[in-house]
Amino acid sequence: MEDSTIDPPLAPSRETPALSIEPAQPPAQEPLRAPVTDWPPWSAPAALVCGLVLAALGALVVDIPAVLFGVSVTASHVPAGLEIADTAVQDAAFVASAVFFAQVGGRTVRAWQFGLRPTPFWRAVRRVALLVFVFLLLSLIWVAIFHSPKEKLLEELGAGESTVLLLLSAALTCVVAPICEEFLFRGYIFTALRNWRGVWPAAVISGLVFGAVHAGSAPALDLVPLAGLGFGLCLLYLYTGSLYPCIAAHSLNNSIAFGSLEHWGWQIPVLTVTALAVIWLIARTLTRAGVITPESQLPHADAMRSSAAARIGR
């Protein structure tokens, strides 16, 4: 910081001082942080409820025709193919709900507001690796202490019934779910809740909700570690300024869990790399199609960000 003391004026000199013109130095950029928007906090729970309602309605749209064609569906049993379709509809509903509430009130919606923007690569890699390592370590300790039962999700998806169902289950678990869940929980819910009481309450609430949403697909004892993962993903989003590391960390965790449940060895790194490559390809395709656009293309983005940041005291 420059000294605020005012120097006394110099005595006039008879010699003309030489002029030294130096190029202006660009101001130091602040560390990239998660986007700040003006989304109202009330819209966070509304988006979650709306997403779940849309998922339920979408499941009916899928299941009713299947029943009419003779597929046996009961409250305790849904055929594997339908389970995959229902879960895919749920993920799509999460994205649709987030986009809908983001534009309530006539707001302009851009992909970067959900965190779909670049971030320094190696910094993101380090933080993703740290988060996944800590989560896996704590998960192993949790399982050793509480002996949580084995997850049944892959059995419900029919991963062991055929190669096709195995591939569809892997794609859903390691690609589709990380993208859509991060879009809603970190990209929208966490971002909107930050406008209420700031970062930490938003991260805690988002993490708890993230864990609770998995109540139907994970053992009850595993909801606590999943809530911790949700909290960690919020911090990862905050300090990388991008949703891509969160999607990558989510995919990496799911790939490891998927391979472990299938008792795989060398197939786990293959699944991990393949899932991340597919996610990159999807992002690349959406960018070329103009769905994901640079942040600078939104008029007055800086003014909006500064105003919202001032309100939440970030």
Side-chain angles (χ1 to χ4, degrees):
M1 180 180 294
E2 295 182 357
D3 193 344
S4 59
T5 305
I6 301 177
D7 294 330
L10 297 176
S13 173
R14 296 182 180 179
E15 297 181 0
T16 303
L19 295 179
S20 176
I21 302 177
E22 297 181 358
Q25 297 295 324
Q29 295 183 349
E30 296 182 358
L32 189 65
R33 293 294 183 93
V36 176
T37 70
D38 58 351
W39 298 334
W42 63 262
S43 67
L48 175 63
V49 172
C50 180
L52 294 175
V53 170
L54 286 177
L57 294 176
L60 290 177
V61 172
V62 172
D63 293 350
I64 290 177
V67 172
L68 294 177
F69 279 95
V71 178
S72 176
V73 178
T74 64
S76 59
H77 173 71
V78 178
L82 280 182
E83 188 72 38
I84 291 176
D86 290 346
T87 306
V89 168
Q90 172 185 281
D91 291 334
F94 284 171
V95 174
S97 179
V99 172
F100 172 78
F101 280 95
Q103 62 185 3
V104 166
R107 294 180 179 86
T108 301
V109 179
R110 294 291 187 273
W112 67 262
Q113 294 171 299
F114 295 93
L116 298 178
R117 58 179 187 168
T119 188
F121 179 76
W122 288 113
R123 182 177 69 176
V125 168
R126 290 193 297 269
R127 292 179 177 179
V128 166
L130 176 62
L131 173 62
V132 174
F133 174 78
V134 171
F135 173 70
L136 292 178
L137 178 61
L138 294 179
S139 295
L140 290 175
I141 296 174
W142 181 269
V143 171
I145 295 175
F146 295 101
H147 306 287
S148 59
K150 181 180 178 181
E151 191 170 324
K152 302 293 185 180
L153 177 61
L154 297 189
E155 294 180 13
E156 296 173 358
L157 296 177
E161 296 181 15
S162 70
T163 302
V164 172
L165 289 177
L166 176 65
L167 293 176
L168 290 176
S169 300
L172 182 66
T173 305
C174 305
V175 176
V176 178
I179 293 174
C180 298
E181 291 180 8
E182 292 308 308
F183 193 88
L184 175 64
F185 287 98
R186 256 58 64 182
Y188 191 83
I189 292 178
F190 172 62
T191 302
L193 287 178
R194 285 169 60 200
N195 293 331
W196 176 50
R197 288 291 186 269
V199 169
W200 297 105
V204 171
I205 294 172
S206 300
L208 291 174
V209 172
F210 178 73
V213 165
H214 289 82
S217 59
L221 282 174
D222 287 350
L223 301 185
V224 174
L226 286 172
L229 175 62
F231 176 81
L233 288 168
C234 289
L235 298 186
L236 180 64
Y237 181 39
L238 178 69
Y239 291 112
T240 61
S242 174
L243 198 65
Y244 292 131
C246 301
I247 295 173
H250 197 148
S251 174
L252 180 58
N253 174 74
N254 285 11
S255 298
I256 295 172
F258 189 101
S260 298
L261 291 173
E262 289 294 309
H263 305 289
W264 283 354
W266 60 266
Q267 298 95 329
I268 294 179
V270 173
L271 174 61
T272 300
V273 173
T274 302
L276 293 176
V278 173
I279 291 171
W280 176 87
L281 183 60
I282 292 172
R284 185 69 174 172
T285 302
L286 293 177
T287 301
R288 290 189 172 183
V291 177
I292 299 176
T293 56
E295 184 173 346
S296 59
Q297 291 190 12
L298 181 62
H300 311 301
D302 292 337
M304 183 187 71
R305 188 189 309 109
S306 299
S307 174
R311 290 200 305 274
I312 66 174
R314 192 172 70 93

